[in-house]
């Protein structure tokens, strides 16, 4: 499994290897409290954003994560972040997660194409046999979005983790496996072709 940082280029989004150079842009895009409502941790200050970046870069060094800055190609503006995480190279599977996108770019083609690029790279370059996604059981919008890209709901991990607010989170797990990827790929490509003015 190739775990090297890589840039994934699409029409509506570019996923580029995350670095500390993205700190200022991510701070400008990512301190909206609403972005962290359903994420177990939250980022509210410049200092916390720097810690967020450094923590995932440390995980990348250990071979368990590959983080990206999410960039709008037309403007060059950083609009969010996402990553491969919980990488299990011996068993050839990864999770796509820790995804957030600034409000103006939500419900656009940005997230759909980002998932498409990451799934394509996972199955066709990293040679994965399974890609996982999970979300808070209370986050119905995210559950719908994950199902919409073609992932299958597998079940709920009860009392899975404590969130920044102290609430006990149940996590809903989804997956796509290698045999399903051709149909999922075709469906995502059809969705992106229909995306009007950067909206999917």
């Amino acid at each position: 499994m190739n775990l090297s940082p890589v840039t994934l280029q699409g029409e509506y989004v570019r996923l580029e290897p995350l670095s500390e150079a993205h700190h200022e842009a991510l701070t400008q895009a990512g301190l909206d409290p609403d972005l962290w409502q359903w994420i177990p941790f939250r980022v509210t200050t410049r200092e916390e954003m720097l810690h967020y970046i450094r923590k995932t870069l440390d995980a990348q060094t250990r071979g368990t994560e590959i983080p990206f800055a999410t960039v709008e190609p037309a403007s060059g503006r950083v609009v969010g972040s996402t990553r491969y995480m919980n990488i299990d190279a011996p068993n050839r599977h990864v999770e796509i997660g820790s995804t957030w996108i600034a409000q103006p770019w939500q419900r656009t083609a940005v997230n759909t194409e980002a998932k498409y690029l990451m799934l394509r790279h996972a199955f066709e370059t990293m040679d994965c046999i399974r890609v996982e996604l999970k979300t808070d059981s209370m986050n119905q919008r995210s559950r719908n979005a994950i199902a919409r890209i073609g992932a299958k709901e597998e079940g709920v991990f009860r009392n899975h983790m404590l969130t920044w607010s102290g609430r006990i989170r149940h996590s809903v797990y989804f997956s796509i496996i290698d045999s399903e990827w051709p149909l999922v790929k075709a469906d995502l490509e059809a969705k992106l072709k229909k995306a009007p003015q950067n909206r999917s």
Side-chain angles (χ1 to χ4, degrees):
M1 182 182 285
N2 184 353
L3 302 182
S4 301
V6 63
T7 297
L8 303 177
Q9 181 70 55
E11 180 180 356
Y12 303 108
V13 68
R14 180 175 69 252
L15 301 177
E16 58 188 42
L18 185 67
S19 73
E20 288 192 26
H22 294 107
H23 178 220
E24 181 61 33
L26 285 176
T27 298
Q28 291 181 16
L31 298 189
D32 177 357
D34 288 344
L35 295 175
W36 308 96
Q37 178 182 3
W38 301 112
I39 297 178
F41 55 89
R42 66 174 174 173
V43 176
T44 61
T45 66
R46 291 175 52 83
E47 293 73 22
E48 287 176 352
M49 185 64 77
L50 184 59
H51 176 72
Y52 166 86
I53 294 169
R54 288 176 172 171
K55 185 175 180 181
T56 189
L57 292 177
D58 286 345
Q60 179 173 263
T61 300
R62 295 193 303 272
T64 60
E65 295 186 2
I66 302 175
F68 298 92
T70 304
V71 180
E72 181 184 54
S75 65
R77 186 169 178 178
V78 176
V79 301
S81 183
T82 189
R83 69 188 69 166
Y84 295 117
M85 53 194 286
N86 296 320
I87 295 171
D88 184 346
N91 291 303
R92 292 165 50 197
H93 66 77
V94 300
E95 178 182 345
I96 294 175
S98 289
T99 300
W100 59 268
I101 299 172
Q103 293 283 357
W105 290 270
Q106 293 180 12
R107 305 182 72 83
T108 73
V110 166
N111 188 51
T112 301
E113 188 172 52
K115 292 295 191 293
Y116 167 76
L117 293 171
M118 294 180 76
L119 288 165
R120 186 178 67 180
H121 184 72
F123 286 117
E124 298 181 12
T125 301
M126 298 173 72
D127 198 30
C128 288
I129 61 173
R130 170 185 170 87
V131 175
E132 298 172 351
L133 304 99
K134 68 176 183 289
T135 191
D136 194 309
S137 64
M138 295 176 63
N139 188 351
Q140 192 61 52
R141 180 173 167 181
S142 178
R143 293 174 68 165
N144 293 342
I146 294 171
R148 182 176 174 275
I149 67 170
K152 300 283 178 41
E153 183 174 326
E154 295 182 322
V156 179
F157 275 35
R158 298 178 301 160
N159 287 5
H160 186 216
M161 59 182 75
L162 290 172
T163 67
W164 57 265
S165 67
R167 179 175 62 86
I168 299 173
R169 166 177 148 164
H170 310 315
S171 295
V172 184
Y173 270 77
F174 296 78
S175 72
I176 300 169
I177 61 174
D178 55 347
S179 61
E180 297 165 343
W181 170 236
L183 285 178
V184 171
K185 178 181 181 179
D187 183 63
L188 288 172
E189 288 176 346
K191 284 181 169 64
L192 290 167
K193 284 180 181 178
K194 294 177 183 176
Q197 299 181 355
N198 204 32
R199 287 193 172 270
S200 63

